[in-house]
Amino acid sequence: MTTARLAPRTALFLPASNPRAIAKARTLDADMVILDLEDAVRDDAKAGAREAAVAAAGEGFGHRLCAIRVNGIESPEHAADLDAVSSSTCDFVVLPKAETAADAAAVAEAAGKPLLAMIETPLGVLAAADIAAVPGVSGLIAGVNDLRACLGIPAGASREGLSLSLQTIVLAARASQVWAIDGVFNALDDADGLAAECRHGRALGFDGKSLIHPGQVEIAARAFGPSEAEVADARALIDAATGGAERFRGRMIEAMHVAQARALLERVALG
């Protein structure tokens, strides 16, 4: 499917069971808030988190998109989560560990919301193209922590071992014209490392990054948003283009590059 809205540059996960985190999110310049009912919530707090997520979505997050991540399809909480999401005013449902197109389709239908599918396992990576093509799927999110564990990549290793998986996720998303959101960065105090990983994700083609701490929002937004130099170059390219292949600032451009420049400026105009 074609996703109508511009992709979020920043998608902040927070526990739906944490009222302080929910209140804080309303003060941040994140593009999307993802209220988590899964890994971030203790088993004995799941029911309360569901109620809190529905209430928070109803109150809204201003200009920010709101999503709710449900527990996985094998969880005893899954059905209750979907019921809660379907009655809520959130914008998206997030499915962890999506591995088949059939599961993605079933969750999107049951929730009655556009679906963001997390690709977190080898089976999910191999099925990413089929999942992205499901009507109702609006984007793929790389679940890098689980992928690392499944692939046997040592903790602290570079992203080299994830390269094929990450590129496959982007390819699948682009083939179906849906969003591609990069995975989280775990080192909360490493601003330089986060910025470098954001640059790497953008270079791979990701639209934005999923985040786990408020302090990561500004860095990721800056990395996934166009720089002043890129904006100026895009405007100059559009002004200079006369149609067909031609030379511009020492490089060859054609209609495709004009379209890219217009898309970049649209991102700037809509924030």
Side-chain angles (χ1 to χ4, degrees), residues 133-150:
V134 169
V137 170
S138 287
L140 304 179
I141 301 175
V144 294
N145 286 335
D146 282 277
L147 270 173
R148 284 179 181 275
C150 289

Side-chain angles (χ1 to χ4, degrees), residues 9-29:
R9 299 162 300 171
T10 53
L12 177 65
F13 281 95
L14 56 89
S17 56
N18 188 333
R20 291 182 61 186
I22 291 172
K24 176 69 173 178
R26 294 191 172 101
T27 71
L28 302 172
D29 196 24

Side-chain angles (χ1 to χ4, degrees), residues 106-131:
V107 170
E109 182 177 1
K113 308 286 184 183
L115 174 70
L116 301 176
M118 296 197 69
I119 307 300
E120 305 184 79
T121 67
L123 284 176
V125 172
L126 294 175
D130 292 335
I131 293 169

